[in-house]
Structure formats: structure tokens, C-alpha cells
Amino acid sequence: MANIEALVQRLEKAVIQLETMEQSGRHGAGSHVATCGSEELAPFVQAFEELLNGPLTTYWKQSKEIGGDIGEHADLVIETVRMEREFLVIASKCQQPPVNELTQLLQPLSNKILQIQEFREKKRASKHFNHLSAISESIPGLGWLAITPKPGPYVKEMTDAAMFYTNRVLKEYKDTDKRHVEWVKAYISFWTELQAYIKANHTTGLSWNKTGPKAATSSAPPSSGGAAPPPPPGPPPPRAETCHSNTSCSRAALFDDLNKGATVGSKLKHVSDSSKTHKNPALRNTNAPVHIGPKPFKAATSSPKPAAKKEPPMLELEGKKWRVENHENVNNLVIQDTELKQVVYVYKCAHSTLNVKGKINSITVDNCKKMGLVFEDVVGIVEIINSRDVKIQVLGKVPTISINKTDGCHIYLSKDSLSCEIVSAKSSEMNVLVPTNDDFVECPIPEQFKTVWNGKKLETTVTEISC
């Protein structure tokens, strides 16, 4: 049985390699790469193919097994990574182009990354939104090709962005559906091994062939389904040879006249007083055209940008999720008749207040501004993400409050929620108001820390200025 599984895996890898070779041959027809250097693949391209056939293929299989939006998203990811593989082939055979040409070479890859992110934005109502967000937040890591001198840390940062959402996936499915747990492991494994690959082959930036021909914009791997790029324009027309000679002649004639001394003005015409405007006032009232000097420079006024499309406000229950979206200047939003298994997702609300009655599983406030949230009991977590000037009041109990990428957050705790854990990252102006008698005492959450090496490990403490 083990031999059969090993044989199946080898056959799958062979199929992927054949598809990649076929795609490479189709894209490379007539391109600059097809004529530069040997067709033998460079070692770092072969190493990347192992990455493509290993953890990335595992991630794609797990995505297809789950299906739905996750499977469609995985197809886009596979196409993008294959485009990156084609770009590595170009780098292995050609010299590094100037920055402006490199940007053109990377444009198809950038468009594909943008397509993956737009897929997530179109699927905000998906029950697998956390899966799609993990991909969308980390996929810019494939742009390490243009990062110097340390692309590895950049990929690490993108991996951390993915883990923020994959941790949510693990929390939701670890006891119910192990397929999602394996999906997380496979996806994070790809990024981890990509970091190791970059460290081994492209430590200070993408390795180009210093002896090969110059990479042309026609070498860029085209986007799937796109037409071939147009040929580059021809060279500019040659400058007229008479231009230089005429200028030289004019300059020589000028110097000849100056060398004549006092006789240089002998050919000037004498103007009588009757023809001078300052001597003959009658000339000032005529309608003769007056010479006007050059007008001062005036900056071009930019045309007004079209207003962003305003989405309709929403407050409704979809399955187990309460969706509260796109409300402005509404202070009486209320969610009643809640159940323990339900969650609340608040998105893009401004200058509004939401009151959640009863006991609920979790609450998420995403991309909101000047938002007020009042709730009774939450058995899971309350998360504030990408928001500004948010005020939260706890009437009952809540075990954990998470604040991420938020500027300005005030949390009013109740006497029953004093044991609440508050986790913050990349946020500022955070304050916790603790009830004392009939009033609240404001306590700021530290934002500045000091880290030192104690000989064995790093120790981080809050600086005195933050206390």
C-alpha cells in the first residue's frame, strides 16, 4: 500500500512538471529568453520547482478537498507561483535590467497578486472569509523578487500577516474539521520553506545571470489569457544635421557684430519723438496691439476624482453571523434575540453606536471609525481591527479583548469583567477604564517597550515613560 501511495505522488509531481514545461514553452515562443543561453535549468530554479511540487501542491490538494471559495482561490495562487517560476527562469539566463524595466517585467505578476486580493474582497460574506484573508494578506510576499537587500525578512512579515488569520481558522475548526487544520499546516509550510529557499539562493536579492544577455520586457511571463505585448517602438528619427550648423553660424555672426565696436549700431533705424509713446501722449490712446510678456506658470488643476461607490447599510442575520455594515451617523443600532452560537461582524461603520443584547459567541469590529459598542456577555473574544476612535463598554463578562492596527480605543470594563485579558499589537492611544465606586479610573495601555539580552534570551519590559 505504501508503494502505491509513493507511486501516485511521483506521478502527480510528474504531471505538474509537464504542465509547467508546456506553459513555459507556450509563453516563451518568440520571446527573448528563448534565444538567450542554454535551456538547462539553473540550480535555484530546480530548487524552486521542488517547492512548487512539495508544500504548495499539498496546499492545493487540501484546498480542493475543502472546495468552494477556497478551491477557486487556490487555483489563482498556483497560477501566480508558476508565473514566479517563469520569472526565475528569466533571471537565471539574463542580466538584471534597470529599475523601470524591472517594474514592467514584474507587472503581470503584480496584476495576478491584485486579482487574488480582489477575490477576497468580493467574498466578504463567505463562511471561509478567514481562509481567504490569510491568502490575501500574505500573497504580496511573492513580490520578494524586487526586494533588496534582504528579501527574507519581507517574506517573514507576510507570513506573520497570514498567521493572524490562520490562528482564527485553527480556533474555529481544530475540534470539528481536521481538513482545515491540515490546510493551515500546508499553507504556512510553503511560506516557511520559501524563506529557507531565499536564504539559501537569494540572500541579498534575486540572483541574475551576470554574463547573459540583457532581459527585455518581452521576456516577462504574460498573464494567463492575456494577449502578447506589442513590439517596442522603433528608434527616434535622427536629428537634423542643419540644427547644429545653424546654431554655430548664428553664434559666429553675433560675435562678428560685437567685434565691430562703436559701429555695431550703425544699421539701427532712428526713431523720432513723434513715434515714441512716452513723448507723444496721443499714441497711448490708440488701439494698437500691446505686447504682453509670458504669463506666469499656473499649476494644472487636477480633475475631481469620482466619489467612491457607497454600499448600502446592512443589519441582518446570515446563518450564525450578524452582519452590521456601512452605517453612518446611526446611534440606535440594536441586536436582540441573540444565541450563544452566534457571532457579530461590524464592518465600515462610522459615527454610530451598536448595542448587543444577551450572551453571544464573539464580536469583531473591522475598519470602523468613531464607533461605539455596548454589549452584555461574550463567551469568546472581542476583536478590534483596522479601526480608529472606538469605544467599548462591557456590561457583563468577556474573557478576552484583542486590539490590532487600531489608533484610539477606550474600553469601559464592568465589575464582573475585571479579569479580562487585553491583547494589543500595532495600536496606539489605548485606555482601559476600571470601575471604582461610582466612577471610572483611566489606565493607559503601554505602547513603548525596552528589550535587552540577558545572556540567555531577550527580555522585554515596559519603559518607565509608558507607565
Side-chain angles (χ1 to χ4, degrees), residues 7 12 14 30 41 50 83 111 132 134 139 195 223 251 290 314 347 358 397 434 444 455:
L7 180 60
E12 289 176 345
L41 294 178
E50 293 179 4
M83 290 179 67
N111 294 340
L132 306 183
I139 201 65
Q195 294 174 47
S223 302
R251 189 180 298 112
V290 180
M314 174 188 299
Y347 176 72
K397 291 184 178 180
V434 181

Side-chain angles (χ1 to χ4, degrees), residues 350-377:
H351 302 273
S352 302
T353 303
L354 173 65
N355 194 341
V356 182
K357 306 287 187 179
K359 185 178 290 188
I360 203 162
N361 187 285
S362 65
I363 301 176
T364 300
V365 178
D366 185 6
N367 201 11
C368 292
K369 178 182 178 183
K370 293 187 180 297
M371 181 70 189
L373 173 65
V374 182
F375 62 89
E376 295 180 359
D377 295 293

Side-chain angles (χ1 to χ4, degrees), residues 312-318 321-328 330 332-336 343-350 352-356 360 363-368 371-373:
M314 174 188 299
L315 197 164
E316 62 181 31
L317 177 63
E318 290 186 354
K321 178 190 289 188
W322 284 96
R323 294 181 59 191
V324 185
E325 300 180 4
N326 306 309
H327 287 277
E328 290 188 12
V330 183
N332 57 352
L333 296 171
V334 180
I335 295 179
Q336 303 185 75
V343 300
V344 176
Y345 180 70
V346 187
Y347 176 72
K348 246 181 184 178
C349 293
S352 302
T353 303
L354 173 65
N355 194 341
V356 182
I360 203 162
I363 301 176
T364 300
V365 178
D366 185 6
N367 201 11
C368 292
M371 181 70 189
L373 173 65

